[in-house]
Amino acid sequence: MEWLHINLQPETYLEIGIETGSSLAKARPPTRCIGVDPAPILNTSITAWTKIFAQTSDDFFRQNTVTKLLDDSPIDFCFIDGYHSFDQALRDFIHVEASSHPRSLILFHDIYPLDPITASRQRQTKFWVGDTWKIVPLLKQERPDLVIMTIPSFPSGLALVRNLDPTSRHLSENLQGLIDKWIEIDYLEYAAHLPQILSLSQNCEADIQNFVSSLNGL
């Protein structure tokens, strides 16, 4: 996260699921930031211009227009780390992409699960990533125009998504059908081939640099 903020130098940044603010604090001036979390417990110093919304992301997007909050600017960089379900991640992605531009970057947390129990839809353990991982194969299948890479960062991976299209309506127009389809898919159906399905790469600077090379002229 820190490397991306330093190298992308985004004008605008949105984070969904800020919790203590540790990742939000990676943003640096003059980046303008919005943080969304139903129960934020900030204990980190934040130096960038920031607005915090203590509400769910569904409520936030229903009640606000992100670009207006950012002085009519689109989202350059977004980190989606909200509730650990693919359908919530999908709804968040749809809203963020609509307020983005073709060179924006979206990150998903909790993408590379370790085992069936921590990848289950219902929480049964303290460490839990849920079925958020489904968002990657779903987007690859439904939106092949997107470019996706997953890095096995500790403890549960990060997926990077670029080549966004704010004019696309395919996901929003088929939202309920996609949720109904993917909610039935079990982790074990994909586990053996998960690295290929997630487009897993190395967690190294060179790979990340290559992936984001088309953004901001890097």
Side-chain angles (χ1 to χ4, degrees):
M1 288 293 293
E2 186 171 14
W3 185 94
L4 286 167
H5 274 288
I6 291 172
N7 286 273
L8 291 177
Q9 297 182 4
E11 291 185 12
T12 59
Y13 173 65
L14 171 65
E15 183 167 314
I16 298 172
I18 63 173
E19 198 175 24
T20 63
S22 59
S23 54
L24 185 59
K26 304 299 184 186
R28 304 179 175 200
T31 300
R32 289 168 292 153
C33 308
I34 293 175
V36 180
D37 193 301
I41 45 175
L42 294 175
N43 60 14
T44 307
S45 177
I46 296 173
T47 59
W49 179 100
T50 302
K51 290 182 178 180
I52 304 295
F53 291 81
Q55 56 188 157
T56 67
S57 57
D58 286 336
D59 287 342
F60 170 76
F61 287 115
R62 182 167 53 249
Q63 298 171 16
N64 299 278
T65 301
V66 183
T67 52
K68 289 184 178 179
L69 296 174
L70 296 169
D71 299 325
D72 296 322
S73 297
I75 300 167
D76 290 332
F77 182 22
C78 176
F79 182 34
I80 297 176
D81 187 22
Y83 188 73
H84 297 182
S85 72
F86 83 93
D87 44 316
Q88 185 62 63
L90 178 58
R91 290 196 300 273
D92 290 341
F93 178 85
I94 289 169
H95 287 299
V96 173
E97 185 181 33
S99 297
S100 70
H101 57 84
R103 292 187 299 167
S104 300
L105 178 68
I106 295 179
L107 266 65
F108 288 100
H109 196 213
D110 302 310
I111 291 297
Y112 192 32
L114 303 174
D115 51 41
I117 192 168
T118 58
S120 64
R121 187 167 178 83
Q122 301 301 321
R123 186 168 193 166
Q124 305 172 60
T125 55
K126 183 176 181 180
F127 175 77
W128 174 63
V129 300
D131 65 353
T132 317
W133 62 272
K134 295 179 184 178
I135 192 67
V136 172
L138 186 159
L139 290 178
K140 289 174 69 175
Q141 184 176 115
E142 298 295 328
R143 288 285 306 282
D145 54 313
L146 298 170
V147 182
I148 303 175
M149 177 181 79
T150 299
I151 54 176
S153 56
F154 180 85
S156 53
L158 282 172
L160 290 73
V161 184
R162 61 177 174 85
N163 203 40
L164 305 179
D165 179 5
T167 68
S168 176
R169 297 294 178 265
H170 174 72
L171 298 175
S172 59
E173 291 174 355
N174 295 278
L175 178 60
Q176 192 56 55
L178 292 172
I179 292 173
D180 292 344
K181 172 185 176 180
W182 285 86
I183 202 169
E184 300 298 331
I185 292 175
D186 187 83
Y187 168 77
L188 292 176
E189 297 178 44
Y190 282 78
H193 306 288
L194 205 57
Q196 298 94 323
I197 291 164
L198 297 179
S199 298
L200 195 69
S201 183
Q202 296 297 313
N203 188 10
C204 68
E205 182 175 336
D207 285 349
I208 300 171
Q209 174 79 54
N210 183 61
F211 184 85
V212 303
S213 61
S214 65
L215 307 175
N216 290 357
L218 290 180

